[in-house]
Amino acid sequence: MRALFIGGTGTISSAITKQLLEQGCELYLLNRGTRNEALPVGAKILQADINDESKVASLIADLTFDVVADFIAFEPAQLERDYRLFKDKTKQFLFISSASAYQTPLSDYRITEGTPLSNPYWAYSRNKIACEEYLIKQYREHGFPITIVRPSHTYDERSIPLGVHGSKGSWQVAKRMLENKPVIIHGDGTSLWTMTHNTDFAKGFIGLMGNLHAIGESVHITSDETLTWNQIYEAIAAALGVKLQAVHVSSEFLDACSKEDFRGGLLGDKANSVVFDNAKLKRLVPEFVATTRFDQGIKQTVANLLAHPELQKEDHEFDQWCDQVIQVLDTAIQQMNAARI
């Protein structure tokens, strides 16, 4: 199989590229070359910015592909560019959308590919929906061989997956745990969530590549494991070897008092209970099974982070904000208790 990935070094795509190369795939990566240390050995690099359409067209002039996958498109204009570039160059075009495009709030906590797409809270999700609509139009009207893939919360060894963190990533929350400081969990921590290790996601994705039954279809790829946020944070604390000091805070309150985009990422995504039905994926890829349980996967992530200080990006502003939120809540409790006397 000859495949071209636009991107190829991110959380999701890195595991796919690794497994494909191990399987002997002829893999091309269209990449700007700004992270050469992350480029996998064995891949053929087409160095260019995908937004430089004329340069990309010249690089692929003599090439055709079994599969082209775009991991970094977020707006319809980017898919319009992809269509112009690859409409006569590939047997299958895979677009990585997002499970956050599903109806929010949900009318049924069980999510299938038939769940409506609607998210009034997050422009990111609405843009992904618009991208999907554009591609479906090209499939229906011009036979462009699309497959839409919707990941949910997928993680790897480079970052701890969390519900609430700052703009510099999740390490600061782990640092608070290691320092025995309280950490914020949104809501009461009992809403349901699904974490998927990127190696498991890769197995499902590769099973869709070159799969004629996947043409024209939309498919989500997630683990079948359902966790509460309390369980997620407890597993992280256990992997760090500490006792969790949790403070539960309303998601609406967090959104109202933060500079971060908690409206989209929290109210429009992680604050909602989600349980994914992967029956469609398993029909298309009968061998698919997610084998990395979260408590096992997070131990690998934590071990890697502790072994690589360069991944430990501190976020003092977020740390101070957490302290302020917790202090405000403590003060409010004291004032309410005093008022009852």
Side-chain angles (χ1 to χ4, degrees):
M1 178 185 293
R2 176 187 286 176
L4 170 66
F5 285 0
I6 303 167
T9 61
T11 297
I12 289 175
S13 57
S14 59
I16 303 170
T17 59
K18 183 175 185 293
Q19 291 184 27
L20 282 174
L21 290 170
E22 289 172 351
Q23 296 172 18
C25 176
E26 183 182 356
L27 179 61
Y28 290 77
L29 298 183
L30 181 59
N31 196 284
R32 291 178 297 175
T34 56
R35 293 178 58 198
N36 288 331
E37 76 285 353
L39 296 175
V41 176
K44 300 180 179 181
I45 308 303
L46 301 178
Q47 189 167 339
D49 185 332
I50 183 60
N51 295 306
D52 188 346
E53 190 172 334
S54 60
K55 183 175 182 180
V56 173
S58 67
L59 288 174
I60 64 171
D62 298 323
L63 294 171
T64 58
F65 304 95
D66 297 299
V67 174
V68 172
D70 192 335
F71 291 88
I72 58 175
F74 299 97
E75 298 177 352
Q78 296 166 327
L79 274 303
E80 293 171 10
R81 171 207 62 210
D82 287 353
Y83 178 70
R84 290 191 296 269
L85 284 168
F86 302 113
K87 61 181 179 179
D88 299 316
K89 290 284 185 178
T90 185
K91 299 175 183 176
Q92 183 185 29
F93 180 87
L94 286 98
F95 168 59
I96 288 67
S97 183
S98 170
S100 69
Y102 286 121
Q103 183 184 52
T104 305
L106 288 163
S107 57
D108 188 323
Y109 73 94
R110 295 163 298 187
I111 297 176
T112 72
E113 286 80 0
T115 298
L117 303 182
S118 172
N119 192 329
Y121 295 93
W122 205 0
Y124 165 82
S125 305
R126 295 194 296 275
N127 284 336
K128 287 289 192 179
I129 294 170
C131 287
E132 290 194 23
E133 290 172 343
Y134 171 78
L135 289 176
I136 291 169
K137 183 174 187 292
Q138 302 315 307
Y139 169 67
R140 289 174 175 166
E141 296 182 5
H142 304 289
F144 189 46
I146 65 163
T147 300
I148 294 168
V149 178
R150 299 178 185 136
S152 187
H153 205 156
T154 307
Y155 70 102
D156 65 3
E157 75 283 359
R158 294 174 289 187
S159 179
I160 295 171
L162 290 168
V164 179
H165 60 77
S167 59
K168 296 182 180 179
S170 59
W171 170 252
Q172 192 64 44
V173 178
K175 189 171 186 291
R176 289 181 69 89
M177 290 184 183
L178 290 168
E179 294 172 349
N180 200 36
K181 295 177 70 173
V183 298
I184 294 172
I185 300 178
H186 60 275
D188 63 2
T190 62
S191 58
L192 303 176
W193 197 246
T194 299
M195 295 288 190
T196 307
H197 198 272
N198 69 341
T199 56
D200 284 329
F201 182 93
K203 290 184 287 188
F205 188 90
I206 291 171
L208 295 174
M209 292 177 61
N211 187 331
L212 64 89
H213 300 292
I215 302 299
E217 297 287 352
S218 301
V219 190
H220 53 240
I221 303 174
T222 77
S223 167
D224 289 317
E225 181 183 20
T226 301
L227 300 156
T228 67
W229 280 104
N230 287 331
Q231 290 174 319
I232 291 168
Y233 277 76
E234 287 283 1
I236 295 167
L240 289 164
V242 300
K243 181 176 176 57
L244 177 65
Q245 308 292 334
V247 176
H248 294 94
V249 184
S250 158
S251 298
E252 288 81 2
F253 183 86
L254 292 172
D255 172 51
C257 67
S258 173
K259 296 179 182 178
E260 307 292 342
D261 181 19
F262 285 149
R263 177 173 174 79
L266 198 55
L267 298 183
D269 195 28
K270 299 175 184 66
N272 301 277
S273 284
V274 295
V275 178
F276 292 94
D277 182 341
N278 285 300
K280 183 174 183 179
L281 173 64
K282 292 173 181 177
R283 287 196 303 272
L284 293 169
V285 188
E287 67 274 18
F288 174 78
V289 59
T291 56
T292 305
R293 207 172 62 209
F294 181 71
D295 63 321
Q296 298 169 336
I298 200 61
K299 287 179 182 177
Q300 299 170 16
T301 299
V302 166
N304 186 67
L305 285 171
L306 295 177
H308 292 86
E310 69 275 12
L311 298 175
Q312 301 171 16
K313 297 181 180 179
E314 296 191 21
D315 190 338
H316 299 294
E317 184 177 357
F318 175 75
D319 195 50
Q320 293 173 0
W321 177 80
C322 290
D323 290 337
Q324 291 171 352
V325 169
I326 293 167
Q327 181 59 52
V328 166
L329 292 176
D330 287 343
T331 300
I333 291 171
Q334 293 171 12
Q335 290 175 347
M336 292 298 294
N337 286 336
R340 289 206 303 260
I341 298 175

